[in-house]
Amino acid sequence: LSVFNGLEQLVQSLYSSFYSDIKISAVRGKFITLSENNLEQLKRLKGVSGYSLTLEDKALLQYNNNQQIVVLKGVDTNYHNINGVSRNISKGRFDLGTADHPDAVLGSGVENALGLESDRAITPMLVNVFRNGPGINPSDPESSVRSEAIASAGAFRIQQDFDNKYVITNLPFMQRILGLDSNQYSAVEIASGMP
Protein backbone atom coordinates (compact mmCIF):
# COMPACT_ATOMS: atom_id res chain seq x y z
CA LEU A 1 0.00 0.00 0.00
CA SER A 2 2.85 2.34 0.75
CA VAL A 3 4.21 1.86 -2.79
CA PHE A 4 0.80 2.63 -4.31
CA ASN A 5 0.42 5.76 -2.16
CA GLY A 6 3.83 6.95 -3.32
CA LEU A 7 2.95 6.23 -6.95
CA GLU A 8 -0.34 8.10 -6.63
CA GLN A 9 1.44 11.16 -5.21
CA LEU A 10 4.01 11.02 -8.02
CA VAL A 11 1.32 10.90 -10.72
CA GLN A 12 -0.61 13.74 -9.05
CA SER A 13 2.51 15.90 -8.87
CA LEU A 14 3.32 15.27 -12.55
CA TYR A 15 -0.16 16.17 -13.76
CA SER A 16 -0.51 19.16 -11.42
CA SER A 17 2.73 20.53 -12.89
CA PHE A 18 0.91 20.93 -16.22
CA TYR A 19 -2.81 21.14 -15.52
CA SER A 20 -4.46 23.85 -13.46
CA ASP A 21 -6.90 23.14 -10.61
CA ILE A 22 -9.91 24.22 -12.71
CA LYS A 23 -10.32 24.83 -16.44
CA ILE A 24 -13.18 26.73 -18.07
CA SER A 25 -13.58 26.11 -21.81
CA ALA A 26 -16.22 26.31 -24.54
CA VAL A 27 -19.16 23.90 -24.47
CA ARG A 28 -19.40 24.13 -28.27
CA GLY A 29 -16.73 25.17 -30.71
CA LYS A 30 -13.08 25.85 -29.98
CA PHE A 31 -13.07 29.36 -28.54
CA ILE A 32 -14.75 31.46 -25.88
CA THR A 33 -15.13 35.24 -25.80
CA LEU A 34 -14.67 36.97 -22.45
CA SER A 35 -15.20 40.62 -21.63
CA GLU A 36 -13.31 42.64 -19.03
CA ASN A 37 -16.45 42.42 -16.89
CA ASN A 38 -16.34 38.60 -17.03
CA LEU A 39 -12.70 38.62 -15.92
CA GLU A 40 -13.43 41.06 -13.06
CA GLN A 41 -16.22 38.77 -11.84
CA LEU A 42 -13.83 35.83 -11.96
CA LYS A 43 -11.26 37.70 -9.85
CA ARG A 44 -13.88 38.32 -7.16
CA LEU A 45 -14.94 34.68 -6.83
CA LYS A 46 -14.16 33.12 -3.48
CA GLY A 47 -11.53 30.41 -3.75
CA VAL A 48 -9.87 31.77 -6.92
CA SER A 49 -6.27 32.65 -6.15
CA GLY A 50 -5.38 33.40 -9.78
CA TYR A 51 -6.11 32.58 -13.40
CA SER A 52 -4.44 32.46 -16.79
CA LEU A 53 -6.00 33.00 -20.21
CA THR A 54 -4.87 30.39 -22.75
CA LEU A 55 -5.38 29.64 -26.42
CA GLU A 56 -4.36 26.38 -28.04
CA ASP A 57 -4.69 24.74 -31.43
CA LYS A 58 -2.92 22.13 -33.49
CA ALA A 59 0.02 23.26 -35.58
CA LEU A 60 2.68 21.85 -37.85
CA LEU A 61 6.12 22.80 -36.57
CA GLN A 62 9.08 22.57 -38.98
CA TYR A 63 12.80 22.81 -38.34
CA ASN A 64 15.29 22.05 -41.13
CA ASN A 65 13.99 18.83 -42.71
CA ASN A 66 12.04 17.68 -39.64
CA GLN A 67 8.40 18.34 -38.85
CA GLN A 68 6.06 17.53 -36.00
CA ILE A 69 2.34 18.07 -35.38
CA VAL A 70 2.01 19.71 -31.98
CA VAL A 71 -0.48 21.48 -29.76
CA LEU A 72 0.64 25.10 -29.81
CA LYS A 73 -0.49 26.79 -26.62
CA GLY A 74 -0.48 30.56 -26.20
CA VAL A 75 -0.50 31.72 -22.59
CA ASP A 76 -0.64 35.06 -20.80
CA THR A 77 1.97 36.45 -18.40
CA ASN A 78 0.26 34.90 -15.35
CA TYR A 79 0.59 31.32 -16.64
CA HIS A 80 3.71 30.55 -14.62
CA ASN A 81 1.76 31.28 -11.40
CA ILE A 82 -1.00 28.77 -12.24
CA ASN A 83 1.04 25.62 -12.87
CA GLY A 84 4.57 24.27 -12.66
CA VAL A 85 5.75 24.25 -16.29
CA SER A 86 8.21 27.10 -15.71
CA ARG A 87 9.73 25.12 -12.80
CA ASN A 88 10.31 22.09 -15.04
CA ILE A 89 12.60 23.68 -17.63
CA SER A 90 15.27 21.15 -18.57
CA LYS A 91 17.10 23.33 -21.07
CA GLY A 92 17.22 27.06 -21.78
CA ARG A 93 14.70 29.41 -20.16
CA PHE A 94 10.93 30.00 -19.88
CA ASP A 95 10.70 32.95 -22.28
CA LEU A 96 7.70 33.31 -24.60
CA GLY A 97 8.68 36.46 -26.46
CA THR A 98 6.18 38.98 -27.82
CA ALA A 99 3.41 39.00 -30.42
CA ASP A 100 5.80 40.24 -33.11
CA HIS A 101 8.90 38.30 -31.97
CA PRO A 102 7.55 35.05 -30.50
CA ASP A 103 9.64 32.54 -28.60
CA ALA A 104 8.55 29.04 -27.68
CA VAL A 105 9.24 26.53 -24.95
CA LEU A 106 9.05 23.01 -26.36
CA GLY A 107 8.27 19.74 -24.70
CA SER A 108 11.48 17.69 -24.66
CA GLY A 109 9.91 15.05 -26.93
CA VAL A 110 9.01 17.69 -29.53
CA GLU A 111 12.55 19.06 -29.28
CA ASN A 112 13.99 15.60 -29.97
CA ALA A 113 11.58 14.92 -32.86
CA LEU A 114 12.62 18.18 -34.54
CA GLY A 115 16.31 17.46 -33.98
CA LEU A 116 17.17 20.79 -32.39
CA GLU A 117 18.83 22.06 -29.25
CA SER A 118 16.20 24.52 -28.05
CA ASP A 119 18.63 26.63 -26.06
CA ARG A 120 21.20 26.82 -28.89
CA ALA A 121 19.18 26.95 -32.12
CA ILE A 122 20.36 29.76 -34.38
CA THR A 123 17.66 29.47 -37.03
CA PRO A 124 13.99 29.77 -36.10
CA MET A 125 11.35 27.11 -36.56
CA LEU A 126 8.39 27.56 -38.91
CA VAL A 127 4.93 27.22 -37.39
CA ASN A 128 1.92 26.51 -39.64
CA VAL A 129 -1.66 26.86 -38.35
CA PHE A 130 -5.14 26.97 -39.85
CA ARG A 131 -6.61 30.47 -39.53
CA ASN A 132 -10.12 31.14 -38.27
CA GLY A 133 -12.64 33.82 -39.05
CA PRO A 134 -13.25 36.08 -42.06
CA GLY A 135 -10.88 36.51 -44.99
CA ILE A 136 -10.58 32.81 -45.81
CA ASN A 137 -11.36 31.90 -49.41
CA PRO A 138 -12.78 28.34 -49.61
CA SER A 139 -11.61 28.00 -53.24
CA ASP A 140 -8.02 28.83 -52.18
CA PRO A 141 -6.98 26.38 -49.44
CA GLU A 142 -3.63 28.14 -48.95
CA SER A 143 -5.46 31.24 -47.71
CA SER A 144 -6.51 29.28 -44.64
CA VAL A 145 -2.93 28.37 -43.63
CA ARG A 146 -0.75 30.89 -41.86
CA SER A 147 3.01 30.34 -41.49
CA GLU A 148 5.40 32.32 -39.32
CA ALA A 149 8.86 31.98 -37.84
CA ILE A 150 9.18 31.28 -34.13
CA ALA A 151 12.37 30.99 -32.07
CA SER A 152 13.02 28.35 -29.45
CA ALA A 153 13.92 29.54 -25.95
CA GLY A 154 13.99 26.30 -23.99
CA ALA A 155 12.48 22.92 -23.30
CA PHE A 156 10.44 21.47 -20.45
CA ARG A 157 10.31 17.93 -19.15
CA ILE A 158 7.30 16.86 -17.07
CA GLN A 159 5.71 13.69 -18.39
CA GLN A 160 5.85 11.99 -21.78
CA ASP A 161 2.23 12.82 -22.70
CA PHE A 162 2.98 16.54 -22.38
CA ASP A 163 6.61 16.47 -23.53
CA ASN A 164 5.77 14.84 -26.87
CA LYS A 165 2.83 17.08 -27.68
CA TYR A 166 2.99 20.65 -26.35
CA VAL A 167 4.80 23.82 -27.41
CA ILE A 168 4.12 26.94 -25.33
CA THR A 169 4.28 30.50 -26.64
CA ASN A 170 2.67 33.86 -25.84
CA LEU A 171 -1.07 34.54 -26.08
CA PRO A 172 -1.01 37.67 -28.31
CA PHE A 173 1.03 35.80 -30.96
CA MET A 174 -1.48 32.93 -30.94
CA GLN A 175 -4.43 35.31 -31.28
CA ARG A 176 -2.72 37.07 -34.18
CA ILE A 177 -1.64 33.97 -36.10
CA LEU A 178 -5.08 32.37 -35.72
CA GLY A 179 -6.83 35.58 -36.80
CA LEU A 180 -8.76 35.94 -33.53
CA ASP A 181 -9.76 38.98 -31.50
CA SER A 182 -7.88 39.92 -28.34
CA ASN A 183 -10.82 38.74 -26.19
CA GLN A 184 -11.01 35.22 -27.65
CA TYR A 185 -9.47 32.25 -25.84
CA SER A 186 -9.59 28.46 -25.63
CA ALA A 187 -9.78 28.39 -21.87
CA VAL A 188 -9.37 30.10 -18.54
CA GLU A 189 -7.10 28.05 -16.28
CA ILE A 190 -7.73 28.72 -12.60
CA ALA A 191 -5.65 28.16 -9.51
CA SER A 192 -7.79 27.41 -6.50
CA GLY A 193 -7.06 29.07 -3.20
CA MET A 194 -8.82 26.22 -1.42
CA PRO A 195 -6.74 23.84 0.72
Side-chain angles (χ1 to χ4, degrees), residues 35-180:
S35 67
E36 285 298 320
N37 188 36
N38 296 137
L39 298 175
E40 283 300 319
Q41 289 174 338
L42 182 61
K43 282 181 194 175
R44 291 193 298 265
L45 284 176
K46 184 178 179 181
V48 173
S49 63
Y51 67 88
S52 176
L53 302 168
T54 64
L55 178 57
E56 62 183 62
D57 208 353
K58 288 193 176 184
L60 176 67
L61 203 57
Q62 296 173 294
Y63 183 75
N64 291 336
N65 294 324
N66 300 317
Q67 55 189 16
Q68 180 80 11
I69 293 176
V70 300
V71 175
L72 188 63
K73 183 171 185 171
V75 301
D76 67 9
T77 55
N78 200 39
Y79 184 73
H80 69 279
N81 295 321
I82 304 304
N83 63 42
V85 174
S86 63
R87 293 186 298 275
N88 286 282
I89 298 297
S90 60
K91 199 181 287 181
R93 65 198 188 290
F94 188 82
D95 184 359
L96 306 179
T98 64
D100 295 324
H101 300 288
D103 286 343
V105 177
L106 291 71
S108 59
V110 173
E111 177 190 43
N112 290 336
L114 291 175
L116 74 106
E117 294 287 330
S118 58
D119 59 336
R120 297 183 194 141
I122 296 171
T123 57
M125 301 170 288
L126 185 67
V127 62
N128 305 280
V129 298
F130 284 102
R131 293 183 62 223
N132 296 281
I136 297 171
N137 182 354
S139 64
D140 179 18
E142 286 188 22
S143 71
S144 65
V145 177
R146 183 92 185 256
S147 300
E148 290 202 26
I150 188 169
S152 60
F156 65 85
R157 179 169 289 155
I158 296 174
Q159 199 269 345
Q160 192 173 5
D161 289 344
F162 310 129
D163 300 348
N164 291 342
K165 184 165 123 177
Y166 280 92
V167 173
I168 299 172
T169 188
N170 68 79
L171 178 63
F173 169 71
M174 278 294 290
Q175 289 169 326
R176 182 172 61 78
I177 197 171
L178 290 173
L180 299 175

Side-chain angles (χ1 to χ4, degrees), residues 1-12:
L1 289 177
S2 181
V3 170
F4 286 118
N5 284 337
L7 184 60
E8 180 184 13
Q9 289 175 352
L10 173 64
V11 170
Q12 281 179 338

